[in-house]
Amino acid sequence: LTDEDLDGLIAFFDLLSASESLRAVTQLSAKERDHLITILPSEIAAELVEEAPNEVAVDLVERLEADKAAEIMDTLGSDLQADVIGEMDQEEAEAILAEMTSEHAQDVRRLAAYDDDTAGGLMIAEVFTFRQSDSISQVLLQLASEEEEDERLRGQHPYVIDEDNKPIGVVSLRSLITSRRSASLSSIMVPAVTVLVSTPLDDLVDLFDKHSFLGLPVVEADGSLAGVVSRSAVEEALHERSEMQSLKRQGIVGDELRSMPLLLRSRRRLSWLSANIVLNIIAASVISAYEETLAAVIAIAIFLPMVSDMSGCSGNQAVGVSMRELTLGLVTSRDVFRVWLKEASIGIVNGIVLGLLIGMVAWIWKGNAYLGLVIGLALAINTVIAVSIGGIVPILLKRFGQDPAVASGPLLTTVTDMAGFFLVLSLAAFFMPQLLGA
Amino acid sequence: LTDEDLDGLIAFFDLLSASESLRAVTQLSAKERDHLITILPSEIAAELVEEAPNEVAVDLVERLEADKAAEIMDTLGSDLQADVIGEMDQEEAEAILAEMTSEHAQDVRRLAAYDDDTAGGLMIAEVFTFRQSDSISQVLLQLASEEEEDERLRGQHPYVIDEDNKPIGVVSLRSLITSRRSASLSSIMVPAVTVLVSTPLDDLVDLFDKHSFLGLPVVEADGSLAGVVSRSAVEEALHERSEMQSLKRQGIVGDELRSMPLLLRSRRRLSWLSANIVLNIIAASVISAYEETLAAVIAIAIFLPMVSDMSGCSGNQAVGVSMRELTLGLVTSRDVFRVWLKEASIGIVNGIVLGLLIGMVAWIWKGNAYLGLVIGLALAINTVIAVSIGGIVPILLKRFGQDPAVASGPLLTTVTDMAGFFLVLSLAAFFMPQLLGA
């Protein structure tokens, strides 16, 4: 990659979609990537930063000289600026902020202070504001002069603020068009629905579900206008959150991409796996307590992983349904008993079916009806235990302020492994004469 | 629930948010629910149907008399109408369509024919169209008379069509405001970006990423205007798809909620579990082949589930990262080798760490260094296998047109279980003299 190829490079990026460009860039080595982002014009670099997941965006920007980084940052929306700056080291962030236009830097400092999944964290600082005394023609002129394509103003209505910067009204397009151009905004505005900077994502989702607004003005605790949160920002945050939850369930910490350094990825994965080892040792200690039983009927060892795995799967289905119902707001922490009742019934039906199936397999495979009885009975009972736990654990975790996406799976697996091993081995110990006699 | 309480009931629903109402309704018995939806005013019933996941919406509507159902359906957006009607039995759907206003029924029949995750399946039929010869004041009058809050027209621009119903231009708000009111649209319109009814969701996501449009006109193969797909419909579909994928990974088929009948839920869960039994039996047959080895060193049985579970977790992390990179468009089917290389490196690092950890545990627990060696070595090698398979299987499944969300997990688990059992048991057989001699 040399500077002479720059024109070709720009032409190349023009041909690619944003995600294709990002793919190309993430496949470069860290050194090539740093060089590339330095020589690319800031508009193209900004597109890459916009498309990239947060951690990659930070990585791209923080390798640059502060002035080049500031140039790219200045072209981004204030919400993205705040996200990127918020994840940087204090020192680097300050160096870049110092080079940005002071107006932008001020907005970013303010926005970066809010929590990610609140109205403050999702809003943009750029707002379309007018005074009560402004006339319709002033608004129309402003509308006409604004870059209509500007994403940051997408879906905003003109908001009317008082002298304390408090939003007191909103003006509809229809009233703008149908009223005399000399009329003042106070005569056509309607009261604005506002949200607080601290309003959480879930409440925003509910509000946007209930109303058809494209954006809502966000106010500080003192009522002054802080920004506008758009419907699409809320939908994006919702999507991002559920993606993250799904990754967490699989033991991925943070926003791992294969372009990140090996040792960082390895360390993050190990942090989750090593917690899992401990849980596994606890479960395995149940087997260890029954070594004699196992030694007497070695065929049991074949079915131990099977019973624990099948129960784990059944329990996971219950976790999945509970997570979905929690997301949709269809269950609350008061519904633990109802959920348990529903899951236990399904556990009994599925437990009988699966127990019969696996019992027959064990009987036919090893020619021992009692082995079939032990394995089948253990799976049937453990299925009821697994779906009961799988159904209620996410709801209880949520009640106690824990993230159900992270802890439900490992908790469930440990309990169903332990219960499965215990059931198989204690039933085997109980039926030992019959198992050996057949 | 009696009819006399209706006023109280309406007041009650007015107090609840849409998701709270839905929660209340899904907790009723099927009979109570049917009665409730029959007596509720159709606006409130329509809100419930709008908020509900598709399967629940269908369930609510199809229990009603056709005329009442049609009344509710008529108040919904055409995209939702088509979704609900599309999932009903032919007969019931026809009965309801016959009672709907003929214009709506016609739109629904047309829309229900398109695939869900295409522009045709996501668009709404209600479009804001004008002729080239129309004047600006005609458009402004229309804008002013439309229900601006109507969600169906949210974010649409006025589209200009020719006599064949083909979109030839789009008019910006800015040009509407700044031009003479008597000017014709042909003088201010710009060419419209259109998509085909068959354009898939992923391409729509790319388009909306690249441009800041709030909506795009959708055309049939012959170029005639079929509807408008909005940015928020695309974002919603994307979110819904990733939720469904995450549920599928946990073995949930379709849109299960606990308000559905027990036997339906049980049957669906069993369909996935019974496939899993087969895979489990295949894996367990590896253990069966080594019964003699197991009988000689029974402590091995304690570590079999541990090695297979830990490898499964490592592999799942790789699946998670591949799924995310596929979603972000950062890997394609050409990247199999690159992904394998990246995963194998992480597998070697994590395999050594985990193998040492579990090897030490086995050694200390059972006081046998060779047992530690066997278990540790098996886990180290199996970790490399698991992350390699976990990383590339989703990409290969996608290349062969399969849904990676469904098949990756079970495939991975079966292979890592088999490889894990084989590694532990064959290494144990190899070191048998040392294992017994220590």
Side-chain angles (χ1 to χ4, degrees):
Chain A
L1 240 64
T2 63
D3 293 4
E4 293 86 68
D5 298 331
L6 192 56
D7 285 346
L9 202 64
I10 293 173
F12 175 67
F13 274 106
D14 273 346
L15 286 176
L16 298 178
S17 74
S19 72
E20 285 166 340
S21 312
L22 183 64
R23 193 173 114 238
V25 171
T26 54
Q27 296 194 0
L28 297 173
S29 72
K31 219 180 133 201
E32 291 168 329
R33 202 160 61 220
D34 291 348
H35 182 59
L36 180 73
I37 192 95
T38 315
I39 61 171
L40 275 182
S42 43
E43 314 87 73
I44 296 183
E47 267 175 36
L48 284 171
V49 172
E50 263 183 352
E51 177 71 12
N54 258 351
E55 297 197 17
V56 179
V58 172
D59 194 51
L60 286 174
V61 173
E62 68 185 358
R63 307 296 184 85
L64 292 169
E65 298 292 316
D67 59 338
K68 174 84 181 177
E71 200 183 310
I72 292 174
M73 293 294 291
D74 269 331
T75 68
L76 300 174
S78 60
D79 48 345
L80 191 54
Q81 288 172 346
D83 289 346
V84 173
I85 291 285
E87 292 206 12
M88 279 186 188
D89 295 336
Q90 184 78 29
E91 217 172 302
E92 280 169 355
E94 283 304 327
I96 294 175
L97 284 170
E99 296 285 333
M100 286 172 65
T101 60
S102 67
E103 186 197 350
H104 284 172
Q106 200 182 335
D107 281 346
V108 170
R109 276 179 223 273
R110 195 159 56 85
L111 263 61
Y114 300 114
D115 283 341
D116 278 352
D117 276 357
T118 63
L122 297 169
M123 73 187 183
I124 53 168
E126 298 83 358
V127 195
F128 233 9
T129 54
F130 297 90
R131 296 301 177 132
Q132 283 194 66
S133 53
D134 287 341
S135 71
I136 289 178
S137 56
Q138 281 173 290
V139 178
L140 290 178
L141 272 173
Q142 182 87 26
L143 270 178
S145 70
E146 286 296 331
E147 270 295 296
E148 193 191 353
E149 297 94 300
D150 187 340
E151 272 192 77
R152 285 172 280 182
L153 295 172
R154 201 167 60 202
Q156 282 194 19
H157 286 286
Y159 299 108
V160 181
I161 52 172
D162 66 11
E163 54 284 355
D164 296 329
N165 195 33
K166 293 183 183 167
I168 48 176
V170 56
V171 177
S172 75
L173 183 61
R174 186 170 65 176
S175 58
L176 276 180
I177 288 170
T178 51
S179 307
R180 274 179 310 106
R181 297 211 168 190
S182 59
S184 74
L185 294 184
S186 61
S187 65
I188 59 166
M189 71 184 191
V190 293
V193 176
T194 61
V195 293
L196 282 169
V197 284
S198 57
T199 304
L201 177 58
D202 287 314
D203 293 356
L204 293 172
V205 171
D206 279 350
L207 267 170
F208 278 110
D209 262 358
K210 208 170 174 71
H211 306 286
S212 65
F213 309 122
L214 285 168
L216 283 171
V218 182
V219 296
E220 301 281 359
D222 68 359
S224 66
L225 187 63
V228 171
V229 59
S230 71
R231 177 180 289 272
S232 63
V234 167
E235 278 164 353
E236 256 183 68
L238 193 65
H239 183 206
E240 183 67 11
R241 189 177 65 177
S242 76
E243 294 269 284
M244 282 298 129
Q245 282 183 338
S246 148
L247 286 174
K248 277 185 197 165
R249 266 200 290 275
Q250 287 175 288
I252 305 289
V253 184
D255 205 359
E256 180 178 334
L257 293 176
R258 295 210 171 83
S259 51
M260 295 174 181
L262 173 65
L263 288 181
L264 172 68
R265 296 171 59 214
S266 167
R267 201 173 55 234
R268 285 188 178 179
R269 290 198 191 179
L270 280 174
S271 72
W272 192 81
L273 292 170
S274 44
N276 231 286
I277 279 200
V278 177
L279 297 177
N280 262 291
I281 292 172
I282 296 172
S285 62
V286 176
I287 309 181
S288 185
Y290 282 91
E291 274 187 52
E292 276 173 45
T293 312
L294 255 184
V297 194
I298 199 73
I300 295 273
I302 302 171
F303 294 97
L304 279 181
M306 230 160 138
V307 169
S308 83
D309 184 65
M310 289 301 303
S311 317
C313 288
S314 292
N316 249 321
Q317 292 182 322
V319 170
V321 176
S322 277
M323 291 296 299
R324 175 151 171 85
E325 294 199 336
L326 280 173
T327 308
L328 291 173
L330 297 183
V331 292
T332 67
S333 53
R334 288 189 306 280
D335 298 321
V336 171
F337 183 70
R338 191 180 64 87
V339 166
W340 175 73
L341 219 61
K342 292 258 181 191
E343 282 303 324
S345 336
I346 218 170
I348 291 168
V349 176
N350 288 9
I352 292 172
V353 175
L354 296 172
L356 281 173
L357 270 173
I358 210 170
M360 303 272 279
V361 169
W363 181 6
I364 295 165
W365 195 351
K366 296 293 164 185
N368 186 328
Y370 283 98
L371 183 68
L373 177 69
V374 165
I375 304 297
L377 196 55
L379 181 58
I381 299 174
N382 208 32
T383 301
V384 180
I385 296 175
V387 294
S388 301
I389 292 177
I392 63 180
V393 154
I395 300 170
L396 290 179
L397 283 171
K398 178 129 188 185
R399 182 196 280 184
F400 295 114
Q402 303 297 312
D403 184 350
V406 190
S408 298
L411 256 176
L412 170 78
T413 319
T414 309
V415 177
T416 55
D417 278 6
M418 290 180 74
F421 297 153
F422 172 76
L423 283 165
V424 173
L425 293 165
S426 61
L427 285 169
F430 183 80
F431 287 106
M432 190 54 77
Q434 290 85 347
L435 285 170
L436 295 177
Chain B
L1 241 64
T2 65
D3 293 5
E4 293 86 70
D5 299 331
L6 191 56
D7 285 346
L9 203 62
I10 294 173
F12 175 66
F13 274 107
D14 274 347
L15 286 176
L16 298 179
S17 75
S19 72
E20 286 167 338
S21 312
L22 183 65
R23 193 175 114 235
V25 171
T26 54
Q27 296 195 359
L28 298 173
S29 72
K31 221 181 131 200
E32 290 168 330
R33 202 162 60 223
D34 292 349
H35 183 59
L36 179 72
I37 190 96
T38 316
I39 61 170
L40 276 181
S42 43
E43 315 87 73
I44 296 182
E47 267 175 36
L48 285 171
V49 172
E50 263 183 351
E51 176 72 11
N54 259 351
E55 296 197 17
V56 178
V58 171
D59 194 53
L60 286 174
V61 172
E62 71 184 357
R63 307 297 183 86
L64 292 169
E65 298 294 315
D67 57 338
K68 174 82 180 180
E71 199 184 311
I72 294 173
M73 294 295 291
D74 269 330
T75 67
L76 301 175
S78 60
D79 48 344
L80 191 54
Q81 288 172 346
D83 288 346
V84 173
I85 291 285
E87 292 206 12
M88 278 186 188
D89 295 338
Q90 184 78 31
E91 216 171 301
E92 279 168 356
E94 282 305 327
I96 294 174
L97 285 169
E99 297 283 334
M100 285 171 66
T101 61
S102 67
E103 186 199 347
H104 284 171
Q106 202 183 334
D107 281 346
V108 170
R109 275 179 226 276
R110 194 159 57 82
L111 263 62
Y114 300 114
D115 283 340
D116 279 351
D117 277 355
T118 63
L122 297 170
M123 72 187 184
I124 53 167
E126 298 84 357
V127 196
F128 234 7
T129 55
F130 297 89
R131 298 302 179 127
Q132 283 194 64
S133 52
D134 287 341
S135 70
I136 289 177
S137 56
Q138 281 172 292
V139 178
L140 290 178
L141 272 174
Q142 182 87 26
L143 270 178
S145 71
E146 286 295 332
E147 270 296 297
E148 193 193 351
E149 298 94 301
D150 187 341
E151 272 191 79
R152 286 171 281 182
L153 295 172
R154 200 168 58 202
Q156 283 194 18
H157 285 286
Y159 299 109
V160 181
I161 52 172
D162 67 11
E163 53 283 355
D164 296 329
N165 194 32
K166 292 182 184 166
I168 48 176
V170 57
V171 178
S172 75
L173 184 62
R174 186 170 67 175
S175 58
L176 275 180
I177 289 172
T178 51
S179 307
R180 273 180 311 105
R181 298 212 167 187
S182 59
S184 73
L185 295 184
S186 60
S187 65
I188 58 167
M189 70 186 190
V190 294
V193 176
T194 61
V195 293
L196 282 168
V197 285
S198 58
T199 304
L201 178 58
D202 287 316
D203 293 356
L204 293 173
V205 172
D206 279 350
L207 267 170
F208 278 110
D209 262 359
K210 211 173 172 67
H211 305 288
S212 66
F213 309 124
L214 285 169
L216 282 171
V218 183
V219 295
E220 301 280 359
D222 68 0
S224 66
L225 187 63
V228 170
V229 59
S230 70
R231 176 180 289 269
S232 65
V234 167
E235 277 165 353
E236 256 183 68
L238 192 65
H239 183 206
E240 183 69 7
R241 188 175 67 177
S242 77
E243 292 271 284
M244 284 297 130
Q245 281 181 340
S246 147
L247 286 174
K248 277 185 196 162
R249 266 200 290 275
Q250 288 176 287
I252 305 288
V253 184
D255 204 358
E256 181 179 334
L257 293 176
R258 295 207 171 87
S259 52
M260 295 176 181
L262 173 65
L263 289 179
L264 171 68
R265 296 171 59 212
S266 166
R267 201 172 57 235
R268 287 189 179 175
R269 290 198 191 177
L270 280 173
S271 73
W272 190 82
L273 291 169
S274 45
N276 230 287
I277 278 198
V278 177
L279 297 177
N280 262 293
I281 292 171
I282 296 172
S285 62
V286 175
I287 307 182
S288 185
Y290 282 91
E291 275 188 50
E292 275 172 47
T293 312
L294 254 185
V297 192
I298 200 71
I300 295 272
I302 302 171
F303 295 97
L304 278 181
M306 231 160 135
V307 169
S308 82
D309 182 66
M310 289 302 301
S311 318
C313 287
S314 291
N316 249 320
Q317 292 182 323
V319 169
V321 176
S322 278
M323 292 295 301
R324 174 151 172 87
E325 293 198 338
L326 280 173
T327 308
L328 291 173
L330 296 184
V331 294
T332 68
S333 53
R334 290 189 307 279
D335 298 321
V336 172
F337 183 70
R338 191 180 63 87
V339 166
W340 176 74
L341 219 60
K342 291 258 181 190
E343 282 302 326
S345 337
I346 218 171
I348 291 167
V349 176
N350 288 7
I352 292 172
V353 175
L354 296 173
L356 280 174
L357 268 174
I358 208 169
M360 302 273 278
V361 169
W363 180 5
I364 294 165
W365 196 351
K366 297 291 164 187
N368 187 329
Y370 283 98
L371 183 68
L373 177 69
V374 166
I375 305 295
L377 195 56
L379 181 58
I381 299 173
N382 207 32
T383 300
V384 180
I385 296 176
V387 294
S388 302
I389 292 178
I392 64 181
V393 154
I395 301 170
L396 290 179
L397 281 171
K398 178 127 188 188
R399 181 197 281 184
F400 295 115
Q402 303 297 312
D403 183 350
V406 191
S408 298
L411 257 175
L412 169 79
T413 318
T414 310
V415 177
T416 54
D417 278 5
M418 291 179 74
F421 298 153
F422 172 76
L423 283 165
V424 172
L425 293 164
S426 62
L427 284 169
F430 183 81
F431 287 106
M432 190 55 76
Q434 290 85 347
L435 284 170
L436 295 176

